[in-house]
Amino acid sequence: MSAAAHLGASALADAPAVTLRSPDGARATLLHHGAHLVAWQPAGGEEQLYLSPLTDCAPGKAVRGGVPVIFPQFSDQGPGRRHGFARLHTWTLEETGVRGEHAFAVFSLKDNEATRAEWPHAFSLELTVSISGQRIDIELAVNNPGETSFDFTAALHTYLRCDNVLKAQVEGLQDCTYEDKLQGSTRQQWSDVLGIAQATDRIYWAAPQPLMLRGLGQKVRTGWDGFEDAVIWNPGPEACARMADMPPEGWRDMLCIEAARIANPVMLAPGGEWVGMQTMLKVG
């Protein structure tokens, strides 16, 4: 099955994918590559995720936009590959269907020779996406079927679409401490409202929730469970112009609000499981 019906002329249109449709008309599309959510339209609404028109999903490449699954390492917060390897591998579609008002899909990824070459642990991942009405739930489950413990960091690197990020704002971060990755400093958010006027790369530790993205004719509320931190990221014009998989002005059309587990890595004992969920709700 391809994503052609939902992604149109995108370079991903012929990629193996599954498209979900709930009884009330909500839609979502996930690629087998990375179990990558690349489209979400609430019932009766417009597309809420940003997907770069220049992206591709060739083997070993990450898709730019949507919701990449970050595992077992966030960014450069460790010795491994930046943002880990989960988004680069082909996942297995375990189940898809409709239950009551919800359409859902379940994908899985298990350790293999390629993953063990860069991260020597047995693991299994399961990503479940469920849509209905104005809401989407994205659940990441990590299991340790091996004989030794391992630790990891993770995130759902969500790219939200903006008509103009310069006129958008994130609400709900007042009094939260954050690491400014661009300035190399730790600060406190004094205002409840964060505007995006330039390149932004912040990790908000123990972030409050929910957070609200408010833009031109747009309100999306984000909350999470199991995750603890939030990442707010936009490359800004200079960095965006250097990205081969983004149009030069693409930074104006997106803002990442990510549910993340960074400050306190998860330590998973043999036989253990960790579950994190991000929920987004289109408001109004």
Side-chain angles (χ1 to χ4, degrees):
M1 182 184 299
S2 78
H6 206 179
L7 298 181
S10 163
L12 306 182
D14 295 326
V18 60
T19 294
L20 309 180
R21 295 177 179 84
S22 69
D24 56 19
R27 300 176 66 193
T29 297
L30 294 101
L31 304 179
H32 290 242
H33 182 80
H36 199 122
L37 178 68
V38 290
W40 167 47
Q41 293 179 358
E46 299 179 347
E47 179 59 51
Q48 300 301 307
L49 300 180
Y50 173 80
L51 183 66
S52 171
L54 301 183
T55 195
D56 200 352
C57 65
K61 279 191 169 184
V63 172
R64 176 71 69 183
V67 184
V69 176
I70 306 304
F71 175 91
Q73 175 180 306
F74 178 82
S75 187
D76 55 0
Q77 309 279 118
R81 179 195 296 269
R82 179 180 175 84
H83 281 333
F85 51 72
R87 61 185 181 150
L88 306 177
H89 286 261
T90 299
W91 293 47
T92 300
L93 178 62
E94 299 288 353
E95 186 178 6
T96 184
V98 175
R99 289 179 184 159
E101 299 177 350
H102 298 262
F104 72 96
V106 181
F107 281 85
S108 69
L109 178 70
K110 298 180 181 180
D111 62 285
N112 54 51
E113 184 176 349
T115 68
R116 290 190 295 271
E118 57 180 293
W119 197 63
H121 299 289
F123 70 88
S124 65
L125 306 180
E126 189 172 87
L127 187 81
T128 303
V129 173
S130 176
I131 58 171
S132 178
Q134 308 302 301
R135 174 172 170 156
I136 185 168
D137 294 313
I138 311 168
E139 181 185 270
L140 176 65
V142 182
N143 286 274
N144 181 358
E147 298 179 353
T148 59
S149 298
F150 60 74
D151 64 89
F152 65 90
T153 53
L156 296 173
H157 197 321
T158 305
Y159 288 70
L160 288 168
R161 181 189 58 79
C162 297
D163 286 340
N164 183 349
V165 75
L166 295 174
K167 296 183 179 181
Q169 59 189 34
V170 181
E171 301 172 354
L173 290 165
Q174 187 170 6
D175 297 328
C176 188
T177 299
Y178 67 91
E179 178 183 354
D180 189 321
K181 299 287 287 182
L182 299 179
Q183 299 297 324
S185 60
T186 299
R187 305 181 180 183
Q188 188 172 23
Q189 178 83 27
W190 296 110
S191 170
D192 182 62
V193 174
L194 171 66
I196 308 298
Q198 56 189 347
T200 302
D201 190 356
R202 299 180 177 185
I203 302 173
Y204 286 85
W205 308 119
Q209 58 170 312
L211 302 181
M212 177 77 80
L213 172 63
R214 189 186 299 270
L216 294 172
Q218 174 191 34
K219 287 192 293 184
V220 178
R221 181 181 297 141
T222 298
W224 53 88
D225 186 40
F227 295 104
E228 297 178 345
D229 310 308
V231 179
I232 310 295
W233 179 76
N234 181 287
E238 293 183 6
C240 190
R242 296 192 296 268
M243 294 179 177
D245 58 357
M246 281 275 280
E249 296 298 314
W251 66 277
R252 291 179 175 268
D253 302 326
M254 52 72 59
L255 182 65
C256 285
I257 302 179
E258 312 169 33
R261 184 71 180 255
I262 305 170
N264 298 309
V266 178
M267 177 61 72
L268 208 56
E273 179 182 57
W274 172 86
V275 178
M277 177 183 287
Q278 181 177 21
T279 295
M280 292 182 287
L281 181 68
K282 178 71 170 63
V283 181

